[in-house]
Amino acid sequence: MTGEWRNRPWWARLRLPVVVAAGSATAAVELGFLAVAAVALVASASGRRTTELTRRYAGQLVRLERRRLAGLLAADESPAAHGVSTRRQVGYLAARLLPGALGLLAYAVLGVGLVLAGIVLRAAVRGESSLLDALTQVAVGAVLLLLNVQAIASIAALDVRLARRLLRPGSRAELTRRVQELTTSRAAVIAAVDAERQRIERDLHDGLQQRLVALGMLLGRARRARDADRARALVDQAHEDLQRAVAELREVAWRVYPSALDASDLGEVLTMVARGSEVPVRVRCDLPLRPARQIETVLYFVACEALTNAVEHAAATLVTVEIGVREGWIRMRVHDDGVGGADLTGRGLSGLARRVAALDGRLGVTSPAGGPTTMLAELPCE
């Protein structure tokens, strides 16, 4: 934790002494709670009511400590209290008395040092001490101040270590939570696949099927035509319709399975998609290693859906796609300068969110009215 803290900017480090001081204050509250709870459990005739109150207030104090520690750690590092039993929460509150008391002692020593520093300064101003004595006192005070600062940092590290150790759910609770997540993601994937099948069926029925029916009618008219020029014109028109039908069939096939990823990586495939777009698209893919196939596939679908929305609904004039790796996550950002107002609950975006969640990823969309629209997909590298 100390190494992580040193890498943070100076304004973030200023939170540490504040958090430690707040921890000493909350430790006093927790000491009173533990004392009252112990007396109530011993003296109460109705243990069930007392146990319920203890569970409620212990949970509130633990949530307070989690918010306090959020100043020391990033949000995703903050220890979670979900699935933690009341006994472990009470045990954590009891263990927290040690860093709370040490923090109070450290600040008491700091206060005494400030008073002594004031006395030394006053004596130096009045000429009651020699220059050598004043310099000696300053050197000793500086060393003690550094030791005190290091003590505060160590107390914060102890506080964080206790929270990480005692507030993490047990293996059984963690397994139950993971099973619930997998069950939810499985249902979400099934729903997303069903929605995609319905969409493909509509594309085939409303687009390709009707175009093929029209193609058959054109060929029938060409066969019945007695004028050679008329028959040739009908055949030429049928040939153009056939080319459009093949292009639509290729698009539908890519929605089912992007086979281009077999021979090319994600950046190259998205560049191919960008060339066929009606709107200028800039693609920048900076991946040190090629990710797993399922990750590439999900990112491909996210980019294509965002591009389709930008062209058909947002009236965008420029779309940028940026893909890179940051802190163990593959991040893809798709930005367009369109009118915004994307419907986050629509089939397209909600289906993408389910696809991303199935791989333990997250999808965020920012699309205020008037634009612009930014879609951010994050998937774990492993």
Side-chain angles (χ1 to χ4, degrees):
M1 180 264 186
T2 304
E4 297 172 358
W5 189 260
R6 289 175 179 173
N7 294 330
R8 301 201 174 190
W10 63 269
W11 61 85
R13 301 182 192 180
L14 295 179
R15 297 179 181 177
L16 189 144
V18 177
V19 172
V20 173
S24 298
T26 57
V29 176
E30 290 153 6
L31 176 60
F33 163 75
L34 292 173
V36 171
V39 173
L41 288 174
V42 172
S44 175
S46 177
R48 185 173 182 179
R49 174 63 175 170
T50 304
T51 302
E52 176 63 24
L53 291 175
T54 302
R55 182 194 65 79
R56 181 192 306 174
Y57 290 113
Q60 292 179 358
L61 290 174
V62 168
R63 285 191 292 272
L64 176 63
E65 293 298 338
R66 291 182 62 227
R67 287 194 294 269
R68 180 179 64 87
L69 291 177
L72 292 179
L73 296 175
D76 56 349
E77 295 176 327
S78 184
H82 302 292
V84 179
S85 63
T86 303
R87 179 178 297 180
R88 295 185 66 181
Q89 290 181 349
V90 172
Y92 165 72
L93 295 177
R96 266 232 67 250
L97 298 179
L98 176 60
L102 293 176
L104 182 62
L105 178 61
Y107 278 101
V109 172
L110 180 61
V112 172
L114 291 177
V115 172
L116 293 178
I119 294 175
V120 172
L121 180 61
R122 181 179 180 183
V125 171
R126 291 184 175 183
E128 298 175 357
S129 62
S130 63
L131 179 61
L132 180 61
D133 291 339
L135 292 177
T136 302
Q137 294 293 337
V138 169
V140 172
V143 172
L144 293 178
L145 179 61
L146 291 176
L147 292 176
N148 194 269
V149 171
Q150 181 59 44
I152 292 177
S154 300
I155 293 168
L158 174 61
D159 209 350
V160 170
R161 192 174 296 113
L162 287 174
R164 283 175 169 170
R165 181 69 178 272
L166 299 178
L167 290 185
R168 290 195 179 278
S171 58
R172 184 180 181 86
E174 182 67 20
L175 180 60
T176 301
R177 183 190 64 81
R178 186 58 179 164
V179 169
Q180 292 175 349
E181 286 183 354
L182 292 176
T183 303
T184 303
S185 62
R186 177 178 178 272
V189 169
I190 293 175
V193 170
D194 288 341
E196 190 66 23
R197 287 175 177 173
Q198 294 175 5
R199 182 175 179 178
I200 293 172
E201 190 277 334
R202 287 195 305 271
D203 291 341
L204 291 175
H205 181 272
D206 298 339
L208 185 59
Q209 180 177 338
Q210 294 183 8
R211 191 174 296 279
L212 291 177
V213 170
L215 177 62
M217 295 175 63
L218 281 175
L219 292 176
R221 292 170 59 189
R223 291 179 59 186
R224 294 190 299 269
R226 298 180 179 180
D227 185 357
D229 294 336
R230 175 62 175 169
R232 187 180 300 107
L234 290 173
V235 171
D236 291 340
Q237 184 179 353
H239 183 260
E240 294 177 358
D241 288 350
L242 178 60
Q243 290 180 330
R244 286 193 289 267
V246 171
E248 290 184 6
L249 181 59
R250 186 181 297 112
E251 291 179 2
V252 173
W254 274 40
R255 291 180 186 174
V256 178
Y257 180 79
S259 58
L261 289 174
D262 292 335
S264 305
D265 59 25
L266 181 62
E268 295 173 348
V269 173
L270 291 181
T271 302
M272 294 168 53
V273 174
R275 293 195 189 105
S277 173
E278 300 176 5
V279 175
V281 181
R282 297 176 183 173
V283 179
R284 186 177 67 182
C285 183
D286 185 15
L287 295 177
L289 297 175
R290 186 169 182 177
R293 179 56 187 274
Q294 61 269 25
I295 294 179
E296 279 191 326
T297 303
V298 169
L299 292 177
Y300 167 81
F301 282 122
V302 171
C304 290
E305 180 69 23
L307 181 58
T308 300
N309 291 341
V311 173
E312 296 183 357
H313 307 294
T317 60
L318 177 64
V319 180
T320 58
V321 181
E322 299 175 346
I323 307 173
V325 177
R326 180 179 178 184
E327 299 178 355
W329 290 82
I330 299 176
R331 296 163 55 94
M332 182 173 72
R333 179 179 179 271
V334 185
H335 177 85
D336 70 72
D337 58 355
V339 297
D343 183 9
L344 306 183
T345 61
R347 287 187 176 183
L349 293 180
S350 60
L352 290 180
R354 289 192 290 265
R355 282 179 179 267
V356 173
L359 296 181
D360 292 332
R362 47 186 181 247
L363 178 69
V365 180
T366 304
S367 183
T373 297
T374 301
M375 182 181 299
L376 179 63
E378 296 179 308
L379 291 167
C381 292
E382 298 180 357

